[in-house]
Amino acid sequence: MKDTLFSAPIEKLGDFTFDESVAEVFPDMIQRSVPGYSNIITAIGMLAARFVTSNSNVYDLGCSRGAGILSIRRNVDKTGVQIIGVDNSQPMVERCRRHLEAFHSAIPVNILCEDIRNVQIQNASMVVLNFTLQFLPPDDRLALLERIYNGLNPNGVLVLSEKFRFDDSHINELLIDLHHTFKRANGYSELEVSQKRTALENVMRTDTIEIHKTRLAQVGFSHTELWFQCFNFGSMIAIK
Ligand SMILES: Nc1ncnc2c1ncn2[C@@H]1O[C@H](C[S@+](CC[C@H]([NH3+])C(=O)[O-])CC(=O)[O-])[C@@H](O)[C@H]1O
Ligand SMILES: O=C(O)C(=O)Cc1ccccc1
């Protein structure tokens, strides 16, 4: 399904939410909106092949329709692995469960319709936050990362993908503009780009790469790095 949600003028533009209409078009929306998205999904599979250990749990927090889970499941060859996907949008969770059932796998997957702030994380070899932390209130981010750190086994990995902001306003504006050029090249109109930007203003609070790195170190991660960046989007790894 093609994303045309912001194509007509909207008189009272509310805050962006992950409702039924967004869930319906989500794969098209994220693919056309996030530079590097497919590369990151592929790399999550590669990281899973490397980091997931036997008899451990893998968490995809904010799993949407399960693209990350599928990539993980295709690449894990260990036994006794359980994948737990969490999303608090019921329309996403329904589609995620349906999508995963369409593929056969020996690895059990449990999709929870829950707030990621309330989910227990334990015996984890890998935790994925693929463009999810940016939707949590900034004051809740440290506590979530602490719980992730505590639930990870030694040498466990966190994959943290985010939209970033930059302290240098010249660079910040340039990268935002390049992102808009990317969206225009993917068929979104000026109106779609600007209405979506407004809808996201209150719900997506971006941090700088430095803030992310400092916070990851603060919760205890000994190794952190940005492994991918395209314009103002990127992905980091943190290893316990
Ligand atoms: N507090 C919360 N608790 C649970 N879920 C939440 C919360 N806040 C937001 N979400 C969920 O986090 C997801 C963010 S999308 C992730 C893409 C996916 N990882 C992908 O790789 O395709 C990113 C984007 O749309 O830019 C949505 O499905 C929300 O319902
Ligand atoms: O579309 C945008 O401008 C974004 O920042 C990415 C995005 C993708 C999907 C849902 C919300 C935000």
Side-chain angles (χ1 to χ4, degrees), residues 60-71:
D60 187 354
L61 306 177
C63 60
S64 298
R65 288 176 50 157
I69 294 175
L70 272 179
S71 182

Side-chain angles (χ1 to χ4, degrees), residues 5-15 191 195 198-199:
L5 296 179
F6 294 96
S7 58
I10 302 167
E11 211 173 299
K12 284 203 179 104
L13 194 57
D15 283 347
L191 180 68
Q195 290 195 131
T198 304

Side-chain angles (χ1 to χ4, degrees), residues 19-127:
D19 59 13
E20 191 79 38
S21 57
V22 167
E24 190 58 30
V25 301
F26 190 72
D28 178 70
M29 172 185 278
I30 196 149
Q31 178 65 38
R32 289 201 286 140
S33 303
V34 174
Y37 176 74
S38 312
N39 301 277
I40 295 170
I41 292 293
T42 301
I44 285 171
M46 295 172 178
L47 288 163
R50 191 174 281 249
F51 280 94
V52 175
T53 56
S54 301
N55 305 311
S56 71
N57 295 326
V58 179
Y59 293 84
D60 187 354
L61 306 177
C63 60
S64 298
R65 288 176 50 157
I69 294 175
L70 272 179
S71 182
I72 292 163
R73 212 173 53 167
R74 273 198 295 269
N75 285 283
V76 168
D77 59 2
K78 304 291 191 304
T79 57
V81 172
Q82 242 241 109
I83 304 175
I84 298 111
V86 185
D87 205 291
N88 66 352
S89 158
Q90 183 67 44
M92 286 288 192
V93 163
E94 279 167 19
R95 285 165 182 81
C96 183
R97 287 183 180 137
R98 241 187 288 143
H99 189 194
L100 292 169
E101 278 165 15
F103 301 87
H104 172 81
S105 168
I107 301 175
V109 178
N110 196 4
I111 305 298
L112 312 174
C113 190
E114 273 281 359
D115 193 298
I116 56 174
R117 288 166 289 191
N118 300 330
V119 169
Q120 232 205 86
I121 294 157
Q122 54 188 3
N123 184 29
S125 56
M126 181 174 189
V127 178

Side-chain angles (χ1 to χ4, degrees), residues 198-231:
T198 304
L200 283 170
E201 234 151 51
N202 297 321
V203 286
M204 189 197 260
R205 302 281 180 77
T206 52
D207 289 322
T208 63
I209 294 167
E210 292 69 31
I211 289 174
H212 283 295
K213 279 196 178 167
T214 304
R215 194 165 43 207
L216 290 167
Q218 195 184 337
V219 306
F221 284 103
S222 19
H223 312 276
T224 68
E225 193 48 273
L226 181 73
W227 68 268
F228 178 87
Q229 187 180 344
C230 185
F231 309 137

Side-chain angles (χ1 to χ4, degrees), residues 136-151:
L136 278 198
D139 286 349
D140 294 351
R141 294 177 188 178
L142 181 67
L144 175 70
L145 292 175
E146 272 171 347
R147 286 201 302 103
I148 291 172
Y149 182 82
N150 291 331

